Amino acid sequence: VATALRKNIDLRLAELGPRFATADLLAARAGFDPAFTLATLRGTQRGTQANEVLGISPNATQTSGANTATLGTLLPVGSQLALSLSNSSVSSDPFAATAVQPFPTSHGSGLSLSFSQPLLRGFGRAGTYGLVDAASVSVESARLRYARGADSVVALVERAYWTLRQAESDELVTRESVAASRAIYDRNVALQARDVATALDVLTSERSLATRETQLWEATRQRVDAAERLLFLVYGEDARDSTLLQAPRVHTAPDSAVVPVVPTLEAAETMAFAQRADAAAAGRDVEAGRRRVEQSRSQRRPQLDFVASYGLGGTSPTTRFLSFADSADLRSSSWTLGFNAS
């Protein structure tokens, strides 16, 4: 039994069920892992730039660059948090001061924090994290089904073992019957030589011996077949020619069977529902389906989110990050608070 639990081909195939379920769970959880993104942009723009003082429109070249880093996450209750840092620079040649670009080379930096909470669609754990919870329950179901598969393999191995024991007993009885028939045949041949037995007696005993020998060959074949089935159940794909060739020499151990106490029908049904792993797996499947249904129902609701954000930034003629000490630096801050419906 221990060897079958390691090498049985059906059980090794059933091992993939929990692995696939675990992979699905990890994939579902990946959507809630923190996300960190980096972005950099570089560009050059050529065109005309109006100069109101001179009244001419010389060719202008604008060079820009921006770097952005964002850290965001989605919480199991549906809330979204994001923290973003940015740093940029813009320069023009020739230069003309504008509200967007107050310095020949303007360096900007900013920090922003945003928060969003669904109020209808995707609200709560059931509306957002339902698929992850369902995948977690499916892992439990897959493990229970694997446990039931292991129980089935043990039962098959035990049945094959005792089938081999029965085949050995039948072969032993048939072999003793052949020995008895051969003794009767030899006796009748000896009596015929003394004119005590007739030729019919010899033919009858000879026919009986041939029948018993045929039965012995069939009993031997059934024993070897039973041994091969047992070897295949135990060794799985390792039960190749070299292993199956040992079937004629495979025999059961001289042990005794322990007869279990047979419960009543009502008690057997209660024990089956309480102890069978596939019954528990079916219950976990129902639970996983219920959680998927809850999330699907949540996704059918209208979209209504509470949103809030705050940003701090500024522009300066030199490179610095959120440090605007010079009086010529431009500082800015913004915040939003409200609802988003769709």
Side-chain angles (χ1 to χ4, degrees):
V1 171
T3 304
L5 292 177
R6 290 185 291 105
K7 296 186 176 183
N8 180 265
I9 189 169
D10 293 330
L11 200 57
R12 294 181 65 180
L13 178 62
E15 287 180 352
L16 299 178
R19 295 182 183 179
F20 286 141
T22 302
D24 293 338
L25 175 59
L26 295 177
R29 284 180 177 172
F32 295 86
D33 292 338
F36 181 70
T37 58
L38 292 173
T40 181
L41 298 174
R42 296 289 183 271
T44 301
Q45 183 178 2
R46 300 181 185 277
T48 59
Q49 183 181 56
N51 191 314
E52 297 178 355
V53 177
L54 300 177
I56 60 176
S57 300
N59 291 330
T61 301
Q62 186 180 76
T63 303
S64 62
N67 299 308
T68 304
T70 303
L71 177 64
T73 185
L74 174 63
L75 301 180
V77 293
S79 304
Q80 296 186 29
L81 293 172
L83 176 66
S84 180
L85 304 175
S86 62
N87 189 19
S88 63
S89 64
V90 179
S91 61
S92 296
D93 183 23
F95 168 71
T98 63
V100 177
Q101 186 180 350
F103 310 110
T105 300
S106 299
H107 298 273
S109 58
L111 169 67
S112 64
L113 177 65
S114 63
F115 171 78
S116 175
Q117 172 61 52
L119 300 178
L120 291 177
R121 182 189 303 172
F123 176 75
R125 185 182 182 94
T128 302
Y129 211 67
L131 292 181
V132 179
D133 290 337
S136 178
V137 174
S138 296
V139 171
E140 298 178 11
S141 175
R143 289 173 178 170
L144 289 170
R145 294 189 186 281
Y146 172 75
R148 177 58 184 174
D151 293 340
S152 299
V153 168
V154 171
L156 290 174
V157 171
E158 291 180 350
R159 183 179 302 174
Y161 180 86
W162 291 111
T163 299
L164 177 59
R165 171 63 68 86
Q166 180 65 43
E168 289 175 346
S169 299
D170 294 342
E171 183 185 22
L172 179 61
V173 171
T174 306
R175 191 177 301 279
E176 292 176 353
S177 177
V178 168
S181 297
R182 179 171 288 107
I184 294 174
Y185 170 74
D186 293 340
R187 185 200 63 182
N188 289 339
V189 170
L191 291 176
Q192 185 186 25
R194 299 175 184 178
D195 294 331
V196 176
T198 63
L200 181 60
D201 294 332
V202 175
L203 291 176
T204 302
S205 58
E206 185 178 7
R207 180 179 179 181
S208 177
L209 175 60
T211 301
R212 298 296 188 276
E213 289 178 342
T214 302
Q215 293 175 350
L216 177 59
W217 294 334
E218 180 65 18
T220 302
R221 184 190 64 79
Q222 291 180 357
R223 178 183 59 80
V224 174
D225 289 346
E228 289 179 350
R229 286 193 295 269
L230 178 60
L231 290 174
F232 181 77
L233 282 172
V234 171
Y235 291 98
E237 62 180 6
D238 294 337
R240 302 185 184 276
D241 294 338
S242 59
T243 303
L244 293 181
L245 286 176
Q246 302 176 9
R249 297 184 295 275
V250 172
H251 296 279
T252 59
D255 51 4
S256 58
V258 177
V259 180
V261 178
V262 180
T264 62
L265 179 59
E266 294 78 6
E269 292 177 351
T270 303
M271 292 173 58
F273 283 109
Q275 298 181 8
R276 284 190 55 156
D278 52 352
R284 306 309 292 165
D285 289 340
V286 173
E287 176 66 16
R290 182 186 66 80
R291 301 195 179 192
R292 293 190 184 96
V293 168
E294 288 181 353
Q295 180 161 357
S296 298
R297 288 176 177 173
S298 176
Q299 296 302 315
R300 296 180 61 185
R301 298 172 184 169
Q303 182 76 34
L304 178 62
D305 298 341
F306 171 75
V307 294
S309 64
Y310 177 77
L312 175 65
T315 305
S316 63
T318 58
T319 302
R320 58 170 65 101
F321 183 72
L322 297 180
S323 177
F324 309 108
D326 198 312
S327 60
D329 296 344
L330 301 180
R331 304 171 184 82
S332 64
S333 63
S334 63
W335 61 271
T336 60
L337 186 67
F339 298 92
N340 183 19
S342 62

